[in-house]
């Protein structure tokens, strides 16, 4: 007779333990959802920053390419100017008769 009386008491303890376990699982699921949401926000933020970085990098590469082209153009112009200057100086240092294709005058 004492056994049937113990069974309802054990059943209520088991029921309370099951309720507590279910509540703990639900709380863990809620925490997991919050963490998932936070991670998704971090991923969005990372992609936004990454996109800006990629765009900035592309702009910098384009500017560097343009600056390199400009430098080469200026270098080419400077070389042409230098060559012209050297040619004029060489021509100016020769006697007049040689420039005209004649025989130089003896001094």
């Amino acid at each position: 007779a004492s056994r049937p009386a113990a069974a309802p008491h054990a059943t209520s303890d088991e029921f309370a333990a099951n309720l507590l376990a279910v509540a703990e699982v639900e709380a863990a699921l809620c925490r997991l959802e919050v963490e998932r949401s936070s991670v998704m926000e971090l991923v969005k933020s990372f992609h936004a920053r990454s996109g800006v970085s990629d765009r900035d990098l592309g702009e910098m590469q384009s500017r560097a390419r343009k600056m390199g082209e400009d430098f080469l153009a200026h270098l080419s112009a400077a070389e042409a100017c230098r060559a012209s200057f050297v040619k004029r100086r060489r021509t100016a240092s020769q006697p007049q008769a040689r420039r005209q294709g004649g025989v130089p005058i003896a001094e």
Side-chain angles (χ1 to χ4, degrees), residues 16-43:
N18 284 340
L19 283 178
L20 183 59
V22 168
E24 287 175 352
V25 168
E26 288 176 349
L29 287 173
C30 288
R31 284 192 304 271
L32 183 63
E33 182 58 31
V34 168
E35 289 177 9
R36 188 193 69 78
S37 179
S38 295
V39 168
M40 293 306 293
E41 288 299 317
L42 288 172
V43 168

Side-chain angles (χ1 to χ4, degrees), residues 29-94:
L29 287 173
C30 288
R31 284 192 304 271
L32 183 63
E33 182 58 31
V34 168
E35 289 177 9
R36 188 193 69 78
S37 179
S38 295
V39 168
M40 293 306 293
E41 288 299 317
L42 288 172
V43 168
K44 285 180 188 177
S45 175
F46 173 74
H47 283 299
R49 289 183 195 164
S50 176
V52 169
S53 297
D54 290 346
R55 188 171 47 248
D56 289 344
L57 183 59
E59 289 173 5
M60 285 183 209
Q61 287 174 336
S62 178
R63 271 188 295 187
R65 193 174 310 113
K66 175 74 172 124
M67 289 173 69
E69 291 168 0
D70 289 347
F71 173 76
L72 290 176
H74 285 92
L75 182 62
S76 178
E79 286 293 322
C81 183
R82 179 186 165 281
S84 175
F85 174 75
V86 168
K87 184 177 179 180
R88 279 192 313 245
R89 188 174 67 182
R90 194 177 308 136
T91 305
S93 68
Q94 295 176 354

Side-chain angles (χ1 to χ4, degrees), residues 1-22:
S2 65
R3 184 152 172 106
H9 180 67
T11 305
S12 64
D13 287 344
E14 289 174 358
F15 182 72
N18 284 340
L19 283 178
L20 183 59
V22 168

